[in-house]
Amino acid sequence: MRARTIVVILTAAIGLGVLTGRFVLPARSASTVASGSAPSATAGGPPPPRPAAGPMTDRHLLSAAEFRKVGISRHIYVRDRVGDGGYANAACAGEKTLEQTLGVRDAHFRGLVTARDTDDGDPTLAVNVKDQVAREVAGDAGSPAMAQNFAQRLLLEEVPCQTEPATHWVYGPTHTVDVAASITASWMGSYDGDLNTAGTAPRGKEPCGGIAVLRNGSHYGVLEVDACLDTAAMTRIVRAAVTQL
C-alpha cells in the first residue's frame, strides 16, 4: 500500500473518531508485516491436571520409573496390597494404623523395594530397611474437603519430629509443592542424628529422603522415601506422586 494512500485512510479514521467519540483504525494489511515474521500466538501448554475424584486404584500410586529418573539404578520391585496398617514413620507417628487415625481401613499400600525378600505380614515392607526405596499409602476420602481434613491431620502428626533431642534423627522444615488447585503436597526431609546438634535440622545441609503428605481432589496419601534423595530429587518425586494421585 502506498504511503499517500495510508495517510488518507488514517486521516479519515481520525475524522470518524472525532464524530463518533472513538477512534477506528483500519486493520493492517499483510504487506505491512515484516518479511519472515509471523503473527504472535498466545503462549500455550498442557492444561493443568484435574483434581482426582472417585475410587482409588493402583494406577494412582507412584511408579518405580520415577525413581530411575532421580538416579536410583538398582532394579525396583513393586509390591501392592489393600487394607489397613501402619502408614508413616512409627518412631514419629507411633504404632498406629490408618483406621485408628482416620477411621478408614481400605487404603492402597505400595512398597518400592530393591530385594525380593519382604515382610511376611506386609509385602510392601522390605525385610532389610536398606532395601526399601519408598512406601506409599493412599486412599479416597470421599470428597475434597475430607481429603484436605485427612491431609492436615496426617501432616500434624509429623510436625513434632521437626524438633528432637540432639543426636536423634529429625525432620527438616516443611516444603510445599503446589501443582494445581486442590493438588498439593507438603514434605519434610530426613536428617541423621549426627547432623542434629541443636535439636533441629541443620541449616544448609541436604536431606536424605523424607516424608510427604499428599492431596489430590478427594484422594490423600502419605509417601515415605527411604532412598537418600536430596532436596531437588525429593521435590521431583513428591510432585510426581501428588500429580499421579
Side-chain angles (χ1 to χ4, degrees), residues 54-71:
M56 171 70 59
T57 67
D58 289 347
R59 68 180 179 83
H60 293 107
L61 302 178
L62 190 64
S63 72
E66 295 298 337
F67 285 93
R68 288 193 286 272
K69 295 177 183 177
V70 295

Side-chain angles (χ1 to χ4, degrees), residues 153-225:
R153 289 160 63 184
L154 292 168
L155 182 62
L156 285 174
E157 284 195 327
E158 308 302 323
V159 169
C161 286
Q162 292 176 318
T163 304
E164 293 286 353
T167 73
H168 190 282
W169 72 267
V170 66
Y171 282 144
T174 306
H175 303 268
T176 301
V177 177
D178 289 320
V179 176
S182 297
I183 304 178
T184 185
S186 298
W187 70 270
M188 306 172 192
S190 182
Y191 293 83
D192 290 338
D194 58 354
L195 294 176
N196 175 14
T197 60
T200 58
R203 292 180 179 271
K205 297 290 185 180
E206 287 293 331
C208 185
I211 192 166
V213 176
L214 319 170
R215 178 171 66 90
N216 185 331
S218 65
H219 294 175
Y220 68 95
V222 176
L223 173 68
E224 276 192 279
V225 178

Side-chain angles (χ1 to χ4, degrees), residues 31-228:
S31 62
T32 63
V33 178
S35 175
S37 67
S40 61
T42 303
R50 298 178 62 181
M56 171 70 59
T57 67
D58 289 347
R59 68 180 179 83
H60 293 107
L61 302 178
L62 190 64
S63 72
E66 295 298 337
F67 285 93
R68 288 193 286 272
K69 295 177 183 177
V70 295
I72 305 296
S73 58
R74 295 179 63 187
H75 180 77
I76 298 176
Y77 300 92
V78 177
R79 298 290 182 262
D80 293 327
R81 73 175 180 87
V82 177
D84 189 24
Y87 54 88
N89 193 317
C92 181
E95 297 287 348
K96 293 187 297 182
T97 69
L98 209 57
E99 182 179 18
Q100 290 171 329
T101 300
L102 301 178
V104 297
R105 58 185 306 173
D106 292 325
H108 283 249
F109 289 69
R110 169 163 291 180
L112 299 162
V113 298
T114 57
R116 296 180 183 273
D117 196 10
T118 57
D119 189 278
D120 291 337
D122 188 345
T124 67
L125 292 171
V127 170
N128 189 333
V129 68
K130 293 182 179 180
D131 295 325
Q132 192 84 37
V133 176
R135 184 169 182 259
E136 185 176 8
V137 181
D140 177 41
S143 71
M146 188 58 71
Q148 182 177 22
N149 176 278
F150 283 1
Q152 289 174 341
R153 289 160 63 184
L154 292 168
L155 182 62
L156 285 174
E157 284 195 327
E158 308 302 323
V159 169
C161 286
Q162 292 176 318
T163 304
E164 293 286 353
T167 73
H168 190 282
W169 72 267
V170 66
Y171 282 144
T174 306
H175 303 268
T176 301
V177 177
D178 289 320
V179 176
S182 297
I183 304 178
T184 185
S186 298
W187 70 270
M188 306 172 192
S190 182
Y191 293 83
D192 290 338
D194 58 354
L195 294 176
N196 175 14
T197 60
T200 58
R203 292 180 179 271
K205 297 290 185 180
E206 287 293 331
C208 185
I211 192 166
V213 176
L214 319 170
R215 178 171 66 90
N216 185 331
S218 65
H219 294 175
Y220 68 95
V222 176
L223 173 68
E224 276 192 279
V225 178
D226 296 276
C228 196

Side-chain angles (χ1 to χ4, degrees), residues 8-25:
V8 171
I9 293 175
L10 291 175
T11 302
I14 293 172
L16 180 60
V18 172
L19 294 175
T20 62
R22 59 190 180 94
F23 291 102
V24 182
L25 295 178

